[in-house]
Amino acid sequence: MTTQTPSPSRPSSPARRRRHSRGMTLIEILVVLAIIGLIVGGVSVVAFNAFSESKVKQGYTDVINVQKACEQYMLQKNDKCPKSLQDLKAAGVVSRVQKDPWGEDFVITCPGEHGSAVDVLSYGPDKKQGGDDDIVSWESPKEKEDKKNKDEK
């Protein structure tokens, strides 16, 4: 009887096969985790930028809504100017006193200095008066962008 010896390249028993295929190495796992980390990081940057842009758009919408509410108040009160959103709430023009998307109060100037009955201002993301990020009722986002591009030239 002759016995065959298994070739070294091919395991002969299931136990030997299992020993050779132990799974992923630590390096492979770390590479996979690094790739996942890069993907999550990229997605979070895009999501954060979209969130910031949506706050600015909401700020413009809120400024226009406050301006319209102030004009409605003036119609009801015979051109008396509201001093704050508290006056609008007390008169029943708005249901609640809202703040801008950054948690600050709107600035109401009455009579308006830019061609309307009321000017409304939000200081924007930096929460400071002046600067390019202020959101105002007398200038649309497109006008503001055009002005910025013109100043850069």
Side-chain angles (χ1 to χ4, degrees):
M1 244 171 130
T2 60
T3 59
Q4 289 183 332
T5 59
S7 68
S9 64
R10 188 188 291 175
S12 63
S13 70
R16 283 190 178 172
R17 266 187 248 127
R18 268 186 253 122
R19 195 174 341 133
H20 287 296
S21 62
R22 287 189 169 181
M24 295 176 28
T25 65
L26 180 61
I27 300 273
E28 291 170 330
I29 292 172
L30 291 175
V31 167
V32 168
L33 288 175
I35 291 170
I36 291 171
L38 288 171
I39 291 170
V40 168
V43 168
S44 64
V45 166
V46 170
F48 180 74
N49 287 340
F51 181 67
S52 296
E53 289 174 15
S54 70
K55 273 187 156 184
V56 171
K57 288 180 184 177
Q58 183 64 45
Y60 276 106
T61 302
D62 291 348
V63 161
I64 296 303
N65 288 339
V66 169
Q67 182 186 31
K68 288 179 181 177
C70 289
E71 290 170 353
Q72 183 179 355
Y73 175 92
M74 290 174 69
L75 286 172
Q76 291 176 358
K77 302 291 183 177
N78 295 325
D79 289 337
K80 181 181 175 194
C81 295
K83 293 181 181 24
S84 68
L85 288 174
Q86 295 288 350
D87 293 344
L88 299 176
K89 183 178 179 192
V93 176
V94 295
S95 59
R96 65 182 177 89
V97 175
Q98 73 180 59
K99 297 194 178 280
D100 70 7
W102 300 276
E104 301 295 317
D105 292 326
F106 291 99
V107 178
I108 300 171
T109 306
C110 185
E113 300 169 356
H114 296 92
S116 64
V118 180
D119 290 342
V120 180
L121 164 72
S122 166
Y123 292 140
D126 71 353
K127 301 177 184 178
K128 295 177 184 170
Q129 186 174 4
D132 292 339
D133 67 340
D134 289 358
I135 298 172
V136 295
S137 61
W138 59 89
E139 192 172 58
S140 73
K142 181 163 179 18
E143 291 171 336
K144 192 170 194 168
E145 186 67 29
D146 291 344
K147 182 179 174 184
K148 185 177 177 183
N149 290 338
K150 183 181 175 185
D151 289 343
E152 288 176 357
K153 289 181 181 179

